[in-house]
Amino acid sequence: DGGITQSPKYLFRKEGQNVTLSCEQNLNHDAMYWYRQDPGQGLRLIYYSQIVNDFQKGDIAEGYSVSREKKESFPLTVTSAQKNPTAFYLCASSRVGGLNEKLFFGSGTQLSVL
Amino acid sequence: QKEVEQNSGPLSVPEGAIASLNCTYSDRGSQSFFWYRQYSGKSPELIMSIYSNGDKEDGRFTAQLNKASQYVSLLIRDSQPSDSATYLCAVKPQGGSEKLVFGKGTKLTVNP
């Protein structure tokens, strides 16, 4: 089945630690995205990538880093510089261009601070 | 800053009623509009997309778009308890490099 796989489902971070969230898709989509969702809030864009080896900052990129070495994979690292990392993290993918740029989401990773 | 506004609710309707969810957006040139449903603790799921003024129906769901008023709505007919979720409105602003902007969502509760 085609889809987007995020792992782990739950992740705990100790102070000063970097953690990496995995996102893999087999939809053959060119674009991939990372969003952060806080309780009662909408989705805020962290980073996005429209092509391998290229990515752009979203609205809240500080304290995060990404890589796009393969079309299928777009891991997100939450660095120790992100002082308030507790949130629900969503990875998404889409085709690129045109009106029909629908986003499809993975199941999400809940990150908490110990 | 391009904005998408939704009434946060909660919106409560009885089973079998019509639920009406509303969304306004700031970028007049926006071309694509989407409604996502998100159950508690789960990821958003696309339920409707609309690109032209007027109504678009899909089963019990109807999306309505009025670009002159910068307004998009979602109607759910014959509401069921399983429709209880948060509904997110998303708008793609004008410009090829622009990304989707999401509203904060409206929480809908359908009471049996």
Side-chain angles (χ1 to χ4, degrees):
Chain A
D1 289 336
I4 303 172
T5 302
Q6 286 188 245
S7 63
K9 187 174 177 66
Y10 299 98
L11 186 59
F12 297 91
R13 193 191 89 166
K14 295 179 181 179
E15 192 168 339
Q17 184 183 39
N18 293 352
V19 293
T20 297
L21 285 60
S22 172
C23 179
E24 304 274 336
Q25 57 98 1
N26 60 6
L27 299 169
N28 199 34
H29 285 165
D30 288 306
M32 297 187 73
Y33 311 79
W34 276 104
Y35 287 90
R36 168 179 173 145
Q37 187 175 37
D38 293 279
Q41 300 296 312
L43 305 181
R44 292 187 290 169
L45 183 62
I46 305 173
Y47 269 99
Y48 65 98
S49 168
Q50 293 189 302
I51 194 169
V52 174
N53 292 323
D54 188 44
F55 47 83
Q56 284 76 43
K57 294 181 179 179
D59 299 321
I60 55 164
E62 186 173 350
Y64 301 97
S65 65
V66 293
S67 62
R68 187 86 186 275
E69 298 177 0
K70 299 187 300 182
K71 184 176 182 178
E72 301 79 18
S73 179
F74 192 41
L76 173 74
T77 296
V78 184
T79 75
S80 57
Q82 173 49 247
K83 298 306 180 187
N84 185 23
T86 297
F88 189 48
Y89 289 85
L90 288 158
C91 179
S93 70
S94 74
R95 299 181 189 277
V96 173
L99 298 178
N100 197 20
E101 202 168 291
K102 300 174 184 177
L103 289 183
F104 295 89
F105 287 89
S107 58
T109 294
Q110 176 64 51
L111 175 62
S112 303
V113 176
L114 289 176
Chain B
Q1 181 79 0
K2 298 177 174 65
E3 296 180 341
V4 175
E5 300 286 342
Q6 293 182 256
N7 188 328
S8 62
L11 174 65
S12 183
V13 300
E15 184 174 355
I18 296 175
S20 178
L21 304 162
N22 304 315
C23 172
T24 59
Y25 58 94
S26 62
D27 182 54
R28 182 170 289 278
S30 297
Q31 298 287 325
S32 308
F33 307 85
F34 306 92
W35 283 100
Y36 287 83
R37 177 177 62 199
Q38 186 176 25
Y39 293 113
S40 181
K42 303 296 185 182
S43 61
E45 171 193 12
L46 180 66
I47 55 171
M48 289 289 287
S49 58
I50 187 166
Y51 309 103
S52 304
N53 277 330
D55 295 357
K56 179 182 178 183
E57 187 175 317
D58 184 0
R60 295 186 296 111
F61 298 98
T62 299
Q64 298 176 318
L65 175 61
N66 184 328
K67 290 185 178 180
S69 299
Q70 295 175 235
Y71 175 93
V72 58
S73 64
L74 179 70
L75 300 178
I76 306 175
R77 290 183 301 281
D78 188 25
S79 296
Q80 302 296 310
S82 59
D83 295 325
S84 298
T86 296
Y87 290 81
L88 301 171
C89 174
V91 177
K92 187 175 189 304
Q94 188 177 31
S97 63
E98 293 290 339
K99 299 300 125 186
L100 281 186
V101 179
F102 284 85
K104 293 184 178 181
T106 297
K107 185 173 183 179
L108 171 67
T109 300
V110 181
N111 300 305

